[in-house]
């Protein structure tokens, strides 16, 4: 299906910032960033990727099709380009966007993500999660993932993310697991990126640990790397002030 994604447009000024969520969530995971950037009059557009949130009728997209969906949103709002921010799965989509639509990319922030494709072990993990989603639903997949959170997670953050995860359909979650399993290695094309770029990672992120962030930071010309101490896999939720400072800096680098 090639419909239009659901999205939340904060309607600030300047180049919009497109916020692409992690798995298995939706655009609500960006509420802190939307509020904070609005205070700086920066326009943010938080999307629900196909299969998630209010885009749940759109399923079975490849990572490239997800990237193309973002372009349709830009066309719809009349934006020539955007700063694209992706966390984890959102980062996979953001890298596909950079590869497929470089002329629409004004800046790139990759958080708690990796450029490499799935290893054989990871593919086996996808199969287990597909089975889990089929039998027990989306929240069981989230519960299996929370080991990627730091050792003493804030229970309020876990509860917030779990509530978003529990709203997702098993079909959407399974389609995304298949998409992530089949995505290509994005590393070889990172050197072609020609826009301001920043990489953020939580020091305690066990799912996409700092050495993976370093690979991306080395590969993208001029990229800055920010390791947030004490944070795990969801830096925008766990350390919003630091996350937003990096993002605002990227916005300002873009407008300089
Ligand atoms: C995410 O946080 O989006 C996912 O854990 C990414 C993945 O499973 O590869």
């Amino acid at each position: 299906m090639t419909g239009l994604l659901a999205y939340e447009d904060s309607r600030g000024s300047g180049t919009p910032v497109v916020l692409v969520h992690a798995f298995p969530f939706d655009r609500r995971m960006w509420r802190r960033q939307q509020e904070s950037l609005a205070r700086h009059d920066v326009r943010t557009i938080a999307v629900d990727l196909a299969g998630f949130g209010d885009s749940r009728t759109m399923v079975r997209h490849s990572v490239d099709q997800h990237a193309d969906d973002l372009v349709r949103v830009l066309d719809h709002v009349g934006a020539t380009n955007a700063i694209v921010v992706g966390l984890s799965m959102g980062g996979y989509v953001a890298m596909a966007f950079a590869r497929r639509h470089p002329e629409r990319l004004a800046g790139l922030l990759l958080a708690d993500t990796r450029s490499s494709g799935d290893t054989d072990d990871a593919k086996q993990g996808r199969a287990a999660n597909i089975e889990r989603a089929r039998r027990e639903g989306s929240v069981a997949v989230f519960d299996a993932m929370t080991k990627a959170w730091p050792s003493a997670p804030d229970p309020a953050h876990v509860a917030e993310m779990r509530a978003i995860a529990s709203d997702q359909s098993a079909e959407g979650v399974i389609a995304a697991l298949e998409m992530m399993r089949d995505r290509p290695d994005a590393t070889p094309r990172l050197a072609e990126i020609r826009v301001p770029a920043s990489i953020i990672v939580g020091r305690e992120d066990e799912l996409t640990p700092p050495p993976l962030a370093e690979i991306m930071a080395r590969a993208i010309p001029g990229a800055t790397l920010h390791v947030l101490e004490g944070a795990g896999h969801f830096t925008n939720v766990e350390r919003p002030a630091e996350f937003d400072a990096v993002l605002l800096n990227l916005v300002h680098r873009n407008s300089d």
Side-chain angles (χ1 to χ4, degrees):
M1 174 165 174
T2 55
L4 188 66
L5 298 180
Y7 63 87
E8 180 92 26
D9 185 349
S10 75
R11 297 189 194 284
S13 62
T15 305
V17 175
V18 172
L19 301 166
V20 191
H21 61 82
F23 170 90
F25 309 108
D26 62 33
R27 67 184 193 262
R28 289 174 291 169
M29 69 168 267
W30 296 111
R31 68 172 174 79
R32 292 174 181 79
Q33 282 65 43
Q34 290 212 277
E35 286 166 14
S36 138
L37 269 73
R39 286 196 289 277
H40 295 267
D41 192 34
V42 175
R43 182 181 189 181
T44 54
I45 300 172
V47 299
D48 285 342
L49 289 176
F52 292 93
D54 295 326
S55 306
R56 69 177 52 208
T57 56
M58 303 164 64
V59 290
R60 302 220 163 268
H61 282 204
S62 67
V63 72
D64 286 357
Q65 288 171 311
H66 282 294
D68 296 353
D69 284 345
L70 302 186
V71 169
R72 273 187 284 278
V73 172
L74 293 186
D75 290 344
H76 189 75
V77 302
T80 50
N81 59 11
I83 296 168
V84 179
V85 178
L87 193 141
S88 201
M89 176 180 77
Y92 308 156
V93 175
M95 283 181 264
F97 184 98
R99 189 171 67 240
R100 288 174 69 77
H101 304 288
E103 73 291 351
R104 310 295 294 267
L105 186 69
L108 182 65
L109 194 161
L110 300 171
D112 309 302
T113 191
R114 68 175 79 214
S115 53
S116 51
D118 271 11
T119 60
D120 288 343
D121 276 0
K123 285 182 202 287
Q124 279 179 20
R126 301 293 185 204
N129 270 334
I130 287 169
E131 202 39 45
R132 193 172 274 126
R134 201 166 273 140
R135 273 188 284 106
E136 301 165 61
S138 59
V139 81
V141 177
F142 172 83
D143 289 341
M145 271 176 69
T146 47
K147 63 174 174 20
W149 216 290
S151 49
D154 181 335
H157 292 158
V158 179
E160 176 184 335
M161 299 301 272
R162 194 172 192 275
I164 301 177
S166 66
D167 282 345
Q168 310 309 321
S169 70
E171 294 74 27
V173 164
I174 290 168
L177 286 162
E178 291 171 349
M179 175 278 284
M180 293 192 285
R181 178 195 64 199
D182 298 338
R183 76 191 192 282
D185 182 358
T187 320
R189 304 282 303 273
L190 293 180
E192 296 170 18
I193 293 172
R194 291 286 175 270
V195 295
S198 295
I199 317 290
I200 295 179
V201 65
R203 173 75 71 196
E204 316 293 336
D205 184 348
E206 292 169 33
L207 201 57
T208 50
L212 298 178
E214 285 163 19
I215 291 173
M216 296 183 290
R218 274 198 301 272
I220 301 175
T224 59
L225 174 63
H226 309 265
V227 183
L228 305 193
E229 298 300 330
H233 186 58
F234 297 105
T235 46
N236 75 308
V237 174
E238 296 172 75
R239 293 286 184 283
E242 291 160 70
F243 190 101
D244 298 353
V246 174
L247 178 49
L248 277 171
N249 189 272
L250 187 65
V251 170
H252 294 141
R253 275 162 73 196
N254 185 263
S255 55
D256 284 348

